[in-house]
Amino acid sequence: LPDDYRCGKSLGPVESLQEHPQQPGKILIGYSRGLVVLWDLSAHHADQLFLGKQQLESLVWERSGSLFVSSHNDGGYAVWPVTSGNTYTHQPVSSTIPYGPFPCKAINKILWRTSQRGSPVLLYSGGMPRASYGDRHCLTIQQDKEHVTLDFTSRVIDFFTIHNIELDKEFDDPAALVVLLEEELVVIDLQTPGWPTLPTPYLAPLHSSAITCSCHISNVPPKLWERLINTGKAQRSRLRTHMSWPICGGKNLAPPPKQQELLLTGHEDGTVRFWDASGVALTPLYKLGTANVFHTDCDEPHDSSNDHDMQQEEEEWPPFRKVGCFDPYSDDPRLGIQKISLCKYSNKLVVAGTAGQVIVLAFNDEPSDHSVDVSVVDLLQDREGFTWKGHDRLEPRLKPAPFPPGFQPQVLVQCLPPASVTAVALHTEWNLIAFGTSHGFGLFDYHRRNTVLARCTLHPNDSLAMEGPLSRVKSLKKSLRQSFRRIRKSRVSGKKRTITTPTSKVHEANAALAEQEEVAPVQRRIEPRSADDSLSGVVRCLCFADTFLRDGWFVYQFCSP
């Protein structure tokens, strides 16, 4: 190394090793300080030294081996020429900070892929402006004037491209980009304009939004199964994705299952996802959303045209595009699905949520614009002495709204108080739904749109049921205070004991064991119970049954203290 480059500084750890694409006997060695060495393995000497001055993150060769690209911790990348007869290269051919000039995060990994269609395709992770978007997980794709910043909701672990690897080929011509994220696997089609997402036939994240409930349906009728398949395909085509399932191509050699199994999962964001559970792996079929039935906290206000134009200008750079289906953030926690009931013969679906909403849906193969009927059921029945202190109910949309093919909402039943629904039952022959909360239960005729029955199950002393989940922490704090007092008493009594002789240690140990035996039952007694255990009126399950009595009646079950 030249003396002026040494400066007494260490080269740091090796950050990258890259084999020459045309000459396997040569490798690039990249050091953290910025030095890159082209090393000849057979001759045991350095052919060329590239004296970089910026901290190095990664290296990648160009296909012909005439140049390579380095990425750095300042959010920039540099292109270096590889020439024979030149021992030292002090400056790269070009150096760019794509999201500068303000300080940017490091570009952790970079790929350079040549293409017959024009300029090379450049792909790199990171490099975002530190102050504005430093907390985002991004991967950038650039070619000519095309520039897309893929915005993920979980950390980028690694990525690679599927491209030509034959040595006789002149170009890489990347076909797809595979990105491994912390929570999912995403595949991007690099041959189609716009670079859309390819759906993977497996590794779909079940917890794309937090799972709040589930429902398994066996022996699904073929007609319903076919309608779900067709609706799911139409839904994915609207998202401009390809239907190449499986992506390996060819025919599916696995034998068809004897019966179709369906898994429904309810999520915190108000969606219900339908999964094919017939085989070994769960395959996503169809996604149902319920947020469009309500006005939620995520609805954007109507801005003026100037504000809208300014917002568009701000969003033009970087050109973000949301990618992936993992979304741990809920727009409104009240949308969470708590109970699901599906009748596979009548194609009726009932979903119940966190804010006391119960939605009856029917399957429709065609899109529809209609309004959803709303009915309110008061489970307290004007009982005095109870005041709800929890969250508000969701505001329903009263005007007609567009609903895509699939399960479409017909009736919305709103329980009051708007507590989380704890039980639900559906009887399509009688056109009835039953629902229960921590305050009572109700029976509703969704065909005639009227309430059949409403009962309150609260005890006069059940004031805790009206406070919501957050206020239940008070009882836990009280139990903790009592336990800390007992610990202090035991420490004080321990200090008063004195040790005079070695033989007294045996007596002290026996006394300590006896004391532990006495304290243990007390500690177990003060362990806080779950919040639901202290509520005596929670309806746990509901069931329709033929009683064979003259005056048939609705049977319900709820927990008791």
Side-chain angles (χ1 to χ4, degrees), residues 21-22 62-64 114 116 163-173:
Q22 303 296 331
E62 190 264 344
R63 185 179 183 87
S64 64
T114 57
Q116 297 185 46
H163 60 276
N164 292 328
I165 58 174
E166 294 82 1
L167 295 179
D168 57 340
K169 300 291 185 178
E170 184 180 355
F171 299 96
D172 292 312
D173 287 332

Side-chain angles (χ1 to χ4, degrees), residues 66-81:
S66 60
L67 59 88
F68 69 89
V69 183
S70 62
S71 68
H72 303 275
N73 73 328
D74 63 344
Y77 64 89
V79 180
W80 299 83

Side-chain angles (χ1 to χ4, degrees), residues 384-433:
E384 298 180 355
F386 293 98
T387 303
W388 173 250
K389 301 177 183 178
H391 50 251
D392 296 331
R393 55 178 282 191
L394 287 164
E395 180 185 354
R397 297 181 186 270
L398 302 179
K399 296 181 179 180
F403 297 100
F407 282 99
Q408 298 174 354
Q410 304 294 322
V411 185
L412 167 63
V413 181
Q414 179 63 56
C415 302
L416 293 181
S420 178
V421 178
T422 56
V424 73
L426 169 65
H427 201 297
T428 56
E429 294 181 3
W430 299 344
N431 296 325
L432 292 177
I433 57 170

Side-chain angles (χ1 to χ4, degrees), residues 64-118:
S64 64
S66 60
L67 59 88
F68 69 89
V69 183
S70 62
S71 68
H72 303 275
N73 73 328
D74 63 344
Y77 64 89
V79 180
W80 299 83
V82 179
T83 57
S84 59
N86 189 6
T87 307
Y88 301 105
T89 302
H90 294 270
Q91 296 294 333
V93 174
S94 63
S95 181
T96 307
I97 300 179
Y99 296 111
F102 299 105
C104 297
K105 300 197 71 175
I107 294 180
N108 307 109
K109 181 178 179 179
I110 191 167
L111 296 179
W112 178 287
R113 299 291 182 247
T114 57
S115 174
Q116 297 185 46
R117 296 191 296 267

Side-chain angles (χ1 to χ4, degrees), residues 205-417:
L206 276 168
H207 62 301
S208 55
S209 174
I211 296 178
T212 50
C213 66
S214 63
C215 175
H216 179 261
I217 307 296
S218 60
N219 296 323
V220 180
K223 186 175 181 180
L224 174 60
W225 186 265
E226 183 180 357
R227 296 174 74 183
L228 283 173
I229 295 294
N230 294 333
T231 303
K233 288 183 177 179
Q235 188 179 63
R236 289 186 290 271
S237 65
R238 288 195 302 271
L239 297 175
R240 295 183 302 175
T241 56
H242 290 230
M243 308 315 303
S244 54
W245 288 18
I247 59 174
C248 57
K251 295 182 179 180
N252 188 3
L253 301 179
K258 296 181 180 181
Q259 62 184 21
Q260 306 293 352
E261 305 284 336
L262 193 62
L263 175 67
L264 281 67
T265 55
H267 298 265
E268 190 181 30
D269 61 353
T271 60
V272 179
R273 298 173 188 263
F274 292 70
W275 305 82
D276 181 3
S278 309
V280 177
L282 290 174
T283 303
L285 298 178
Y286 162 64
K287 183 177 76 170
L288 167 68
T290 61
N292 55 350
V293 182
F294 307 98
H295 292 287
T296 61
D297 296 341
C298 61
D299 291 340
E300 296 181 358
H302 296 285
D303 298 332
S304 62
S305 58
N306 294 335
D307 294 340
H308 185 67
D309 294 340
M310 292 177 61
Q311 185 178 2
Q312 283 186 338
E313 290 179 1
E314 292 177 358
E315 293 178 351
E316 283 181 358
W317 190 261
F320 288 117
R321 190 176 85 193
K322 286 286 184 182
V323 178
C325 58
F326 177 75
D327 187 7
Y329 310 108
S330 176
D331 296 326
D332 193 331
R334 296 174 296 175
L335 291 171
I337 305 298
Q338 298 298 325
K339 296 294 176 181
I340 302 173
S341 180
L342 172 65
C343 178
K344 59 185 178 183
Y345 302 109
S346 63
N347 300 337
K348 294 287 185 181
L349 175 66
V350 175
V351 295
T354 305
Q357 70 271 25
V358 182
I359 307 174
V360 182
L361 305 100
F363 202 97
N364 189 358
D365 295 315
E366 301 296 331
S368 174
D369 289 76
H370 64 270
S371 58
V372 180
D373 296 332
V374 181
S375 298
V376 179
V377 179
D378 186 5
L379 298 180
L380 292 183
Q381 299 176 318
D382 300 327
R383 182 173 294 192
E384 298 180 355
F386 293 98
T387 303
W388 173 250
K389 301 177 183 178
H391 50 251
D392 296 331
R393 55 178 282 191
L394 287 164
E395 180 185 354
R397 297 181 186 270
L398 302 179
K399 296 181 179 180
F403 297 100
F407 282 99
Q408 298 174 354
Q410 304 294 322
V411 185
L412 167 63
V413 181
Q414 179 63 56
C415 302
L416 293 181

